[in-house]
Amino acid sequence: MNKKIKIALIFGTRPEAIKMCPLVKTLKENNSFDVSTIVTAQHRQMLDSVLELFEITPDFDLNLMKPNQNLWELSSDILLKTKEIFEKEKFDLVLVHGDTTTAGISALSAFYSRTKIGHVEAGLRTFDKDYPFPEEINRVLVDSVSDLMFCPTDRAIQNIKNSGIKKGYYKTGNTVIDALLYVVDNKPFNLDFIGLNDNLKTILLTSHRRENFGKPLENICFAIKELVEKNKDIEIIYPMHLNPNVRNTVIPILQNTERVKLIEPLDYAPFCTLMKKSHIILTDSGGVQEEAPALGKPVLVLREETERPEAIEYGGVKLVGTNKGKIVNTVQELLDNKNEYERMSKAINPYGDGHACEYIEKIILEYFH
Ligand code: UD1
Ligand code: UDP
């Protein structure tokens, strides 16, 4: 019998978990693989809720999150802890996801231990090192040390080629669509606990990006205030990220604002149900930019740059930035202009067909045989 291919999937934050858990499940079902799950726990509660949803118990839990952690300490902790595991376990392949500190530093660590590396969600770029910070540089780093690059779109493939990498890239779609379809089909959720008003249009808001801390996030909050004052038929739901840099800005401005609900981060199943129920989604999240077009929901992106321009080209997403007036005007147009709303909701989802995990599984098998 052939030796099993020894694979580790390593992740640490909520979005990585959402996009890697379906892959853990797919690879574990294949007898050719010996699969280990390593979590850095760069996030704790927000990670655990995803692990629970997908019923995954990590084989290694580094438990690294500290309150209001910084990039330096987190990076050195990840580097040293993964060194121990990689040296002992001698994996044939380490899979990392996306662009977080967990992704960037784990890939570097695997590279130092001369292990093959696969990058899930490879090839995304803004070509601006400050947007998003520090994620753009993490992505470049991971792709530059990877042997296999699983790209969600043609654009991502092109970015890899343009950077001079000559082999190892494949178009697979994004595993987030696999996760979304699994949850929407299998884990529908009752949202009564949020207390939505059925007579109002729900606008869903998420914002947590580092480069939006401070003034840009304040602008977003003041835009929200103006929008609910002008439009008595809308309510805003903001599941706030647990990062204190988000909450310390948002809560003082938006608490006690009529028809604005500041709530705790939602588990993934209720969040998917809330996206489905929403009229418009305002976000600076990467994952939400990919999911909402698959659900036919118009998305306004509260960032100056995006590494996910495909959905803008397809028409379901608009890049709005963080200028208060621009946010108010763009939302108002979508509320008032039925044709524009219809156009955006009917746009095609460019991020995959829900089978990305199977494509990745097949590529790994072919690579090792
Ligand atoms: C990280 C990623 C970002 C990703 C985001 C997803 C980096 C540099 N940033 O940003 O790319 O978009 O995750 O959400 O990797 N916290 C908790 N509990 C949790 C999660 C976070 O209390 O479950 C608080 C802690 O105080 C923690 C802080 O949030 O120290 C910041 O977490 P961190 O992972 O450093 O940054 P994020 O802003 O979450
Ligand atoms: N999400 C969630 N609960 C929430 C907000 C977001 O489950 O309250 C999900 C969302 O559907 C998406 C992912 O978290 O799949 C995005 O994570 P986040 O915005 O934190 O990070 P990013 O994608 O920007 O890196």
Side-chain angles (χ1 to χ4, degrees), residues 12-16 42-48 65-71 74 99-103 132-135 138 208-210 213 241-246 265 284-286:
T13 66
R14 169 174 67 190
E16 295 165 87
Q42 175 179 338
H43 285 175
R44 188 70 272 174
Q45 306 91 310
M46 286 159 56
L47 171 77
D48 290 344
M65 193 193 86
K66 295 187 183 127
N68 209 4
Q69 62 206 357
N70 65 66
L71 295 172
L74 177 63
D99 55 18
T100 63
T101 300
T102 290
F133 172 86
E135 289 85 355
N138 287 335
H208 72 279
R209 295 235 82 81
R210 213 165 268 263
F213 292 165
H241 195 286
L242 291 178
N243 192 328
N245 295 295
V246 172
D284 63 11
S285 160

Side-chain angles (χ1 to χ4, degrees), residues 209-223:
R209 295 235 82 81
R210 213 165 268 263
E211 63 275 13
N212 277 349
F213 292 165
K215 186 76 184 147
L217 187 53
E218 281 176 31
N219 291 345
I220 293 169
C221 294
F222 285 116

Side-chain angles (χ1 to χ4, degrees), residues 183-201:
V183 169
V184 167
D185 290 345
N186 299 294
K187 312 266 179 180
F189 210 92
N190 184 313
L191 292 182
D192 285 353
F193 71 99
I194 303 179
L196 297 176
N197 183 334
D198 286 338
N199 300 317
L200 302 175
K201 287 179 184 151

Side-chain angles (χ1 to χ4, degrees), residues 63 79 84 99 141 143 158 166 168 173 258 268 279 303:
N63 198 23
L79 199 55
E84 284 169 27
D99 55 18
L141 167 63
D143 284 332
Q158 198 53 51
K166 295 203 170 47
E258 207 182 335
Y268 189 49
H279 187 64
R303 295 168 56 177

Side-chain angles (χ1 to χ4, degrees), residues 24 26 73 109 176 199 238 245 268 288 306 328 338 341:
V24 171
T26 301
E73 276 184 57
S109 177
V176 77
N199 300 317
Y238 186 174
N245 295 295
Y268 189 49
V288 177
T306 181
V328 171
K338 217 169 159 221
Y341 184 85

